[in-house]
Amino acid sequence: MDAHKSETELREELARLRERGTALEADVARHQQVEQSLRDTALNYRIIADFTDGWEYWRNPEGLLRYVSPACERITGYTPAQFLARDDLLCEIVLPEDRAVFEAHRQQTGDVPGPYEVHFRIRRADGAVRWIEHACQPVYDETGAFWGWRASNRDITDRKRDELALQDSRQTLETLMRNLPGMAYRCQNDHDWTMEFLSDGCKALTGYDPADLLQSAVISFADLIHPDDREAVWHSVQDSLRAGEPYEMFYRLQTRYGKEKWVWEQGREITLNDGRTCLEGLITDITLRIRVEEALRRSEARSRALLDAVPDLMLNLDRDGIFLRYHDAGMGTHVPPMEFLGQSIDDVMPALAGRTRYAIDRALKSREVQILQYQLPLGDDIRDYEARIVASGDDEVVVIVREITARVQAERALRASEERLRTLIHATPDIICFKDSDGRWLLANEAILNVFGLTEANYRGQTDLELAEISHGHHEVLVNCHATDEQAWAKGALSRADEVIPRPDGEERTYDVIKVPLFHPDGKRKGLIVLGRDITERKRSEELLHRREQEFRALADNNPDLIVRFDRDCRHLYVNPAVSRMTGIAYEDFIGRTPADLGMPENLVARWNVTIGRAFKIGQPVESEFAFDTAENGPRDFHSHAMPEFAEDGSVQTVLVRIRDITERKEAEEQRIKLAVERERVSVLASFLENVSHEFRTPLSVIYTGLEALERSALLDESNVQRVGRIQEQAGYIGRLVDSMITMSRLDGDPNYVFDFHDLGMVMHDIKHDIERLAQLKQLAVSLDLPDDLPFVYCDPYELRRALFAICENAVDYTPEGGSITIRASHNPAHVLIEVADTGIGIAASDLPHIFERFYRADKARTGRRAGLGLAIARTIIEAHQGRIDVQSAANQGSTFRVTLPLMASQ
Ligand code: ADP
């Protein structure tokens, strides 16, 4: 042995040293030099040692420590001073198990010169165990004198641990190797891997006998390697060989029976005795291992899942509820362990004791997991916990405690929200139904069950078609519901439609039904929500509103009045065609615009603003009048009646204005006023005349009587007869004038008509008879032309005769001798027309408008004896009969007076 040889050599050297030492002792001066040199060396050594990482020390030839480097404290926990003070401290800190190794080394070092290494463990001052690599060496000076030992100690705990681990893994590998089936081989380094030797494992691994593969007799080994791996195997081996290293690889083999196997091959190049090189190695089937590894990976994933679910705290309790052990995985205990270990649950958690004991009992008896939920206060919080109690022995249970505050809160929140949803669903009058992807009813509220008469039925899990069979009288609706569901699914989005569902009493209700299909992320059907609202009333009012609107339109559009609807901002919402006609502005241009927008006159804009604003404000009709220059008829007068229209809440929503053209009425009114003034005038005059007329009568009758007497007396000569005749004529005129005036004033004041149905033909014959008497005096021909079926006329025959007589009398008066007068009557269903035509002097156009006025005479000189009241009286009477009188005439053309009387007026 080398060590032995060097020991012998050392001894010889030592002997020589001793001899020299003796010589040195003799040489004092030299000794001093040596001493100095030693000190220098020691100093140098110390400087180096102090700064090296290792723990260095130096012992003198007697074995006593002379120096300890500061690093000792880092490695051992003891200071250099402690080591120097106690020489055997080093020995003491070596672990008892390693002390023998250490002592042996020390014994040896006494006489062995070469560097020597030993590993041992020490216990540090703080109790930790460290591995030390100790190396020591004898030190000699240049003369060869022995100066002592220099030792160097390094902490190799980490390396040692790695080595041990490595050792472990090697052991594991070996164990694995031993237990895995495999095949040893020797082959040539060629592309066939030509086999020269194969162990019996060959058959099991490849399915071939070794003989089949040797020298590639039946098949080469290369052919057995999975084609995808062949290349890689080749290169892997060649790379290792080039590097001079053993090779190791994983690849797949294809066995004789087509099976694929994972193998692990390790081998190296060897040189045979004949100098040839070849490869030797072992191929191991690791298919199982790969599978196991995969399984392990899977199981690890499972374990991790399990580990993730590991409880926060694990406790062992015995049958009586005494805490035996605990394992805390992070949650910590509320009570320090020493306060509950060995204690009973009754003492530690009295509030939970009863339930826990019961659960322990159950767990022990049933051997099944018992779950207990409870709450504990933690500071201001209340925390929720779940304890799973499992029997772990005959009298012992494991309690696995998890904090589930978050879960419980989430559950509680979920329950609360579900509860709210449920309440909402059932409380709403709307119909609600949740269906699954197959249309089965999952949840339906009261309303929908009522609607379909399913309150008694167990609807859950049934489809519309199934429910159709059991519902009372809703078969058709439910079948239809199924169809519309399918449409909603097909559409894939919210669909909405009105559905009519009859009530049990037969009344039809309309529902606004919304269907919402829900889908999974992959597009599969998830569920369907059906919501419906009874909109029957709304529908009805909508229809009513629509009808009203139509009625309004029908009325307004055809109304001769102007009809306008304004909003609060005085914008036109509607105008009827009359408005467009009147203003010349199209309907579309009105809508949404204010009168100002339309450029209406400023005073009118202001008036509308005030009127509409006031109607909105007071909620009452507002009347007003205004003038407007119309496109149709020029300036006209209007009356407006603005009516507020109310919303359901009672507020004024719009204002509807009816505007009426009152131009005619105004004119008529003016006319009436003029007439009234005229009447007043006439009545004053009439009453005067009446009084005067009566006053005239008495003297007139005296004059008449006197004149008659004179006429009869023979005393009168020719000239006096003529005079009396003239006086008679004038008196007659005054008499007629007085009569006419009395009649006129009677008709103006209190006419006292007596109306009834009378035969007009009779009246006409009477008149003809009266007129003929006068006409004969002037040799005028009078003819009466009446139809046979002349109807009865509602009239006062006395007054009517007076009126017609006045007309006929004029015809006689204004027709020269030899002329003719024609009286005609005709009728249609509504009127009777009486015409009096003469061949007289006619009436000038300038006189025509005035001849019916009182006291108007066309030729005042010629008709000096006339009062000008005849036609005025005739018109008054005819108008009192709801009739009309007019005339057609021209100068020298004759005149035709036409009287029209209504037939139906009072029938
Ligand atoms: P008078 O007493 O003057 O006849 P009336 O009221 O009867 O008053 O008639 C008014 C005027 O109408 C007459 O003065 C006459 O000029 C004209 N007139 C009426 N009837 C006729 C007629 N048939 N032909 C021509 N002129 C007529």
Side-chain angles (χ1 to χ4, degrees), residues 525-561:
R525 292 180 181 189
K526 190 172 174 190
L528 184 77
I529 303 175
V530 180
L531 302 168
R533 176 159 291 181
D534 186 341
I535 51 159
T536 315
E537 260 72 53
R538 200 187 80 198
K539 268 255 147 141
R540 271 185 204 148
S541 34
E542 269 173 11
E543 269 164 30
L544 205 67
L545 192 71
H546 185 67
R547 264 214 308 279
R548 287 273 149 77
E549 196 60 28
Q550 278 182 329
E551 283 167 8
F552 166 78
R553 284 285 165 115
L555 281 174
D557 282 358
N558 300 305
N559 205 306
D561 289 342

Side-chain angles (χ1 to χ4, degrees), residues 127-409:
V129 172
R130 309 298 296 175
W131 273 101
I132 302 295
E133 183 192 64
H134 172 89
C136 61
Q137 219 179 350
V139 184
Y140 304 95
D141 71 2
E142 64 272 28
T143 63
F146 178 56
W147 280 15
W149 294 89
R150 180 210 146 176
S152 176
N153 300 291
R154 281 197 298 141
D155 185 339
I156 54 159
T157 312
D158 293 345
R159 198 183 81 200
K160 210 65 183 170
R161 195 177 48 223
D162 291 348
E163 279 173 2
L164 287 175
L166 191 66
Q167 213 171 317
D168 275 352
S169 89
R170 282 210 181 113
Q171 267 173 7
T172 314
L173 189 66
E174 273 163 28
T175 316
L176 200 72
M177 290 268 295
R178 268 201 303 281
N179 293 303
L180 287 173
M183 138 182 127
Y185 68 87
R186 185 191 301 150
C187 72
Q188 290 167 22
N189 184 19
D190 61 21
H191 281 279
D192 282 338
W193 305 116
T194 311
M195 288 296 167
E196 295 182 348
F197 164 78
L198 281 164
S199 72
D200 290 341
C202 178
K203 177 94 176 165
L205 185 70
T206 67
Y208 289 96
D209 283 328
D212 296 339
L213 279 166
L214 287 176
Q215 299 305 323
S216 305
V218 174
I219 190 167
S220 75
F221 184 77
D223 289 333
L224 294 181
I225 299 174
H226 192 285
D228 292 351
D229 295 347
R230 261 173 226 163
E231 193 85 339
V233 168
W234 173 256
H235 290 297
S236 173
V237 173
Q238 303 313 315
D239 289 351
S240 298
L241 294 184
R242 264 198 299 282
E245 285 172 356
Y247 52 85
E248 182 180 4
M249 61 218 167
F250 295 94
Y251 59 90
R252 285 164 293 174
L253 279 186
Q254 284 173 319
T255 71
R256 185 177 187 174
Y257 308 108
K259 222 171 119 185
E260 194 179 282
K261 283 185 176 175
W262 273 98
V263 294
W264 171 50
E265 181 177 339
Q266 52 176 356
R268 64 197 159 99
E269 192 176 41
I270 55 155
T271 308
L272 298 173
N273 290 337
D274 57 9
R276 206 162 51 86
T277 56
C278 66
L279 306 176
E280 235 179 38
L282 182 73
I283 300 171
T284 314
D285 183 354
I286 54 159
T287 311
L288 205 63
R289 194 181 103 195
I290 294 273
R291 285 207 196 115
V292 168
E293 272 176 1
E294 267 170 20
L296 183 69
R297 267 199 297 281
R298 279 201 300 276
S299 118
E300 265 178 1
R302 273 203 300 275
S303 313
R304 190 154 301 121
L306 279 174
L307 273 174
D308 287 345
V310 148
D312 299 298
L313 179 67
M314 239 160 70
L315 298 157
N316 289 68
L317 272 83
D318 74 3
R319 176 180 287 282
D320 298 322
I322 308 290
F323 287 93
L324 301 175
R325 289 178 296 281
Y326 88 103
H327 167 78
D328 176 8
M331 181 169 82
T333 49
H334 290 289
V335 184
M338 49 278 205
E339 281 181 29
F340 66 80
L341 285 180
Q343 301 279 319
S344 158
I345 182 98
D346 299 278
D347 302 325
V348 181
M349 292 171 146
L352 283 173
R355 289 166 66 200
T356 311
R357 277 171 176 286
Y358 178 72
I360 292 175
D361 196 46
R362 292 279 307 261
L364 287 172
K365 274 193 190 134
S366 68
R367 315 303 284 183
E368 278 171 8
V369 184
Q370 303 296 312
I371 297 173
L372 205 68
Q373 283 195 8
Y374 59 94
Q375 291 186 323
L376 286 178
L378 188 78
D380 291 342
D381 280 1
I382 298 278
R383 299 284 178 92
D384 291 276
Y385 297 92
E386 179 194 81
R388 288 169 176 262
I389 300 174
V390 193
S392 57
D394 288 344
D395 287 311
E396 204 183 299
V397 292
V398 178
V399 183
I400 300 158
V401 181
R402 303 202 70 190
E403 192 191 323
I404 52 162
T405 313
R407 194 185 83 198
V408 168
Q409 275 170 359

Side-chain angles (χ1 to χ4, degrees), residues 775-818:
Q776 273 166 10
L777 298 175
K778 292 180 79 177
Q779 273 117 49
L780 297 174
V782 177
S783 65
L784 178 65
D785 185 5
L786 294 178
D788 293 340
D789 58 347
L790 199 62
F792 275 41
V793 173
Y794 192 72
C795 62
D796 181 331
Y798 180 77
E799 297 295 348
L800 186 59
R801 203 165 126 182
R802 183 199 297 279
L804 293 175
F805 186 79
I807 295 166
C808 293
E809 198 184 21
N810 278 348
V812 173
D813 280 351
Y814 297 106
T815 302
E817 286 185 8

Side-chain angles (χ1 to χ4, degrees), residues 426-444:
H426 285 297
T428 176
D430 294 339
I431 60 175
I432 299 176
C433 181
F434 294 87
K435 297 177 185 177
D436 70 8
S437 55
D438 296 321
R440 286 189 287 261
W441 289 34
L442 298 176
L443 178 66

Side-chain angles (χ1 to χ4, degrees), residues 67-112:
Y67 165 76
V68 179
S69 76
C72 74
E73 192 171 355
R74 183 174 49 79
I75 295 170
T76 67
Y78 296 99
T79 61
Q82 282 174 305
F83 277 105
L84 291 170
R86 283 180 56 202
D87 208 37
D88 51 358
L89 177 60
L90 178 57
C91 206
E92 275 172 33
I93 64 171
V94 174
L95 283 196
E97 301 93 295
D98 295 347
R99 214 163 278 160
V101 177
F102 182 67
E103 288 297 339
H105 164 74
R106 273 189 114 178
Q107 295 302 312
Q108 273 185 328
T109 54
D111 44 15
V112 176

Side-chain angles (χ1 to χ4, degrees), residues 806-807 810-815 838 840-843 847 851-853 856-859 863 866-872 889 894-895 897:
I807 295 166
N810 278 348
V812 173
D813 280 351
Y814 297 106
T815 302
D838 61 50
I841 60 166
I843 304 162
D847 293 324
I851 56 168
F852 294 102
E853 289 172 12
Y856 187 86
R857 285 164 298 172
D859 185 352
T863 56
R866 308 289 302 237
L869 278 173
L871 287 179
S889 180
S895 307
F897 283 81

